[in-house]
Amino acid sequence: MTPVIVTPGPEATERLGECLGLRLQSGDVLCLSGDLGAGKTCLVRGLARGWGVIDHPTSPTFMLVNEYRRERDLSRFHHVDAYRLQGSEDAKSLGLEDILDAAGVVVVEWAERIRDALPDEALWIHIEDIGEDTRSFCFEPVGERANALVAGLEEAYAAGN
Ligand code: ADP
Ligand code: MG
């Protein structure tokens, strides 16, 4: 099942991220694909807020990874930006495997560039600019956890939860 959710503007995208962020657990991997300006970082801001990060993530374009914590427990939220990586080998040599092995949530922007370095089971989110402020989010869950993350997401987003 590949649900598609369309958002009418950046605030709606953040809210969609927040809906999904509320459901995230350590070990979950989200792979975001889409062109520059698609809305990946915007979604990550919402994801981080829903998960419980206090400060606002910016795009870590000059770093491989930003790591965030929340107050309620010791778990981590890793925000990876693969834009500057040359491919999967590059990602591996820069320590992506350690990040994936560490207990925590991992969200990867430009995931399509390092596909071979990412786990088979993950929630892929393909983001497309479909005109002005409208963006489509195509969810492609692989594995039990990813399917659980997506189940009921459209309803939760539509209901404003
Ligand atoms: P990316 O990380 O994919 O390069 P960003 O999230 O940094 O993209 O930027 C998305 C840009 O598109 C922002 O300037 C944002 O204001 C704009 N935008 C317009 N409509 C939307 C929408 N529906 N969702 C997300 N961003 C949107
Ligand atoms: Mg970005």
Side-chain angles (χ1 to χ4, degrees), residues 14-139:
E14 280 198 40
R15 198 168 62 69
L16 172 61
E18 208 170 334
C19 286
L20 183 55
L22 283 167
R23 301 161 163 238
L24 291 174
Q25 296 174 4
S26 288
D28 289 338
V29 179
L30 303 192
C31 301
L32 313 187
S33 80
D35 291 338
L36 198 67
K40 300 181 293 298
T41 301
C42 183
L43 185 75
V44 175
R45 270 197 292 276
L47 288 167
R49 194 188 316 134
W51 179 81
V53 167
I54 294 145
D55 35 23
H56 288 245
T58 50
S59 189
T61 299
F62 294 98
M63 278 187 282
L64 174 67
V65 60
N66 282 345
E67 180 185 288
Y68 300 93
R69 294 167 192 241
R70 60 182 174 187
E71 275 175 358
R72 108 171 80 109
D73 57 28
L74 293 172
S75 60
R76 315 277 170 94
F77 181 106
H78 296 103
H79 178 195
V80 178
D81 194 322
Y83 183 65
R84 280 165 200 278
L85 299 182
Q86 297 304 315
S88 300
E89 287 310 312
D90 205 10
K92 286 176 190 165
S93 65
L94 285 165
L96 183 67
E97 280 166 343
D98 292 340
I99 294 162
L100 290 164
D101 286 345
V105 168
V106 180
V107 181
V108 184
E109 292 193 41
W110 297 102
E112 69 273 33
R113 297 192 171 199
I114 57 165
R115 193 176 283 272
D116 291 344
L118 295 166
D120 293 338
E121 296 206 346
L123 175 56
W124 282 81
I125 307 174
H126 306 286
I127 310 174
E128 226 179 307
D129 179 340
I130 54 171
E132 299 195 6
D133 289 345
T134 313
R135 303 287 189 271
S136 78
F137 295 79
C138 176
F139 292 85

Side-chain angles (χ1 to χ4, degrees), residues 4-8 12-13 15-20 23 139 150-161:
V4 177
I5 295 178
V6 173
T7 67
T13 294
R15 198 168 62 69
L16 172 61
E18 208 170 334
C19 286
L20 183 55
R23 301 161 163 238
F139 292 85
V150 167
L153 181 65
E154 279 173 290
E155 291 79 1
Y157 171 71
N161 297 314

